[in-house]
Amino acid sequence: MFSNYLIGLREGLEASLVVCILIAYLVKTDRKDALKPIWAGIAVAIALAFGFGCALEFGSQELTFQAQEALGGSLSILAVGLVTWMVFWMRRTARHLKSELHGRLDAALAMGTGALVATAFLAVGREGLETALFVWASVHAASDGTPRPLLGVALGLLTAIALGWLFYRGALRINLAKFFTWTGGMLVVVAAGVLAYGFHDLQEADFLPGLTDKAFDISGTIPPDSWYGTLLKGVLNFQPDPTTLQVAVWLLYLIPTLALFLAPTRTTTPTPVRDKV
């Protein structure tokens, strides 16, 4: 549940910050007449993300077991690729996100209503589609027959909305670069588990060999239905009897990705400006 809460919080907060920055800029520049097109673009983006998530969930239920596993494995790998790109991108641009969005909004204001709708839709829609895909893959990997994974996502999104509102009202100030670095590092750990589970799905679909080749089996020590087994699965997507391929994929992704992500970055500006929302 915690891993899904983290996904909802991290992805939802990105979208919330984008919305806050767009709305605050229009209010401060006395362009409240442009708020309706912005909200329209945001509403379309949210509807698209929700529809995409529903299509993934209900569409996959009509497939055969083998097709479901093949689809789940493929989309899990795609989701990990997207979220990995996203956390590295946000780590580089968190300090400059505000000025970048302001520049896009200025250009859209000059072009008219349609451009405003498109700007809001693209800014929020990308986050929404990434969130829907990664949430679906993570819930699919962590599913234990209970609504807890979805509850975790919902709580994370609600927390993100509340934080976004506090940012907008000026009641909260945090270092966004540090926040996205720490949550991004934790998300890489979650992504490693989703990736390993995706490869396991492809093994179950007979796309990859080695389904019976277990790296280890500690089900007797950590029963999957125990409270601590459920906790480990919910937080780290831990499986007590992974295949050798799952363990290899988990290590090959996690170690270099986390090392690169946490490595100090060089900045070309001597005095970087911290954005405040």
Side-chain angles (χ1 to χ4, degrees):
M1 182 173 174
F2 174 75
S3 63
N4 294 288
Y5 174 82
L6 175 64
I7 294 168
L9 173 63
R10 164 72 189 231
E11 301 291 320
L13 187 56
E14 286 188 29
S16 295
L17 286 175
V18 168
V19 172
C20 288
I21 291 170
L22 293 176
I23 300 302
Y25 185 66
L26 291 176
V27 171
K28 289 179 180 178
T29 56
D30 200 24
R31 289 300 309 268
K32 294 182 180 180
D33 57 301
L35 287 176
K36 287 185 178 179
I38 292 294
W39 282 117
I42 292 170
V44 173
I46 293 173
L48 178 64
F50 183 76
F52 180 57
C54 289
L56 288 174
E57 178 60 25
F58 297 112
S60 63
Q61 294 179 4
E62 302 298 322
L63 303 175
T64 64
F65 172 78
Q66 186 176 19
Q68 284 182 2
E69 297 303 297
L71 177 65
S74 302
L75 290 180
S76 293
I77 294 171
L78 175 61
V80 170
L82 287 175
V83 81
T84 303
W85 171 83
M86 179 270 298
V87 295
F88 276 94
W89 176 82
M90 182 55 73
R91 183 170 180 255
R92 292 195 311 269
T93 60
R95 296 175 182 272
H96 313 291
L97 180 63
K98 185 176 180 180
S99 57
E100 180 180 330
L101 286 173
H102 283 179
R104 293 181 185 178
L105 196 52
D106 283 336
L109 285 168
M111 295 175 66
T113 302
L116 287 171
V117 174
T119 298
F121 171 77
L122 292 174
V124 178
R126 180 181 64 84
E127 303 290 346
L129 291 176
E130 286 180 358
T131 301
L133 178 57
F134 194 61
V135 162
W136 182 86
S138 179
V139 169
H140 177 70
S143 179
D144 54 4
T146 72
R148 283 180 294 189
L150 286 176
L151 180 61
V153 173
L155 290 174
L157 290 173
L158 289 174
T159 304
I161 293 172
L163 289 175
W165 184 80
L166 290 174
F167 280 133
Y168 178 77
R169 301 299 299 176
L172 186 63
R173 292 286 187 271
I174 63 173
N175 186 314
L176 295 181
K178 288 185 177 180
F179 174 84
F180 283 119
T181 295
W182 282 104
T183 57
M186 290 188 285
L187 208 55
V188 168
V189 176
V190 173
V194 173
L195 183 64
Y197 195 88
F199 272 80
H200 182 264
D201 279 351
L202 294 179
Q203 287 180 307
E204 289 195 325
D206 291 330
F207 274 44
L208 293 174
L211 182 61
T212 59
D213 184 14
K214 302 295 184 181
F216 53 83
D217 188 348
I218 54 174
S219 301
T221 305
I222 307 178
D225 56 350
S226 64
W227 69 267
Y228 45 92
T230 303
L231 178 64
L232 287 172
K233 183 174 180 61
V235 175
L236 300 174
N237 288 313
F238 173 79
Q239 184 177 333
D241 58 342
T243 65
T244 301
L245 179 60
Q246 279 183 272
V247 174
V249 166
W250 188 83
L251 291 172
L252 288 173
Y253 170 83
L254 180 64
I255 294 174
T257 304
L258 201 56
L260 286 172
F261 183 77
L262 296 178
T265 56
R266 296 179 180 177
T267 115
T268 55
T269 54
T271 54
V273 178
R274 178 190 298 178
D275 283 336
K276 293 183 179 180
V277 178

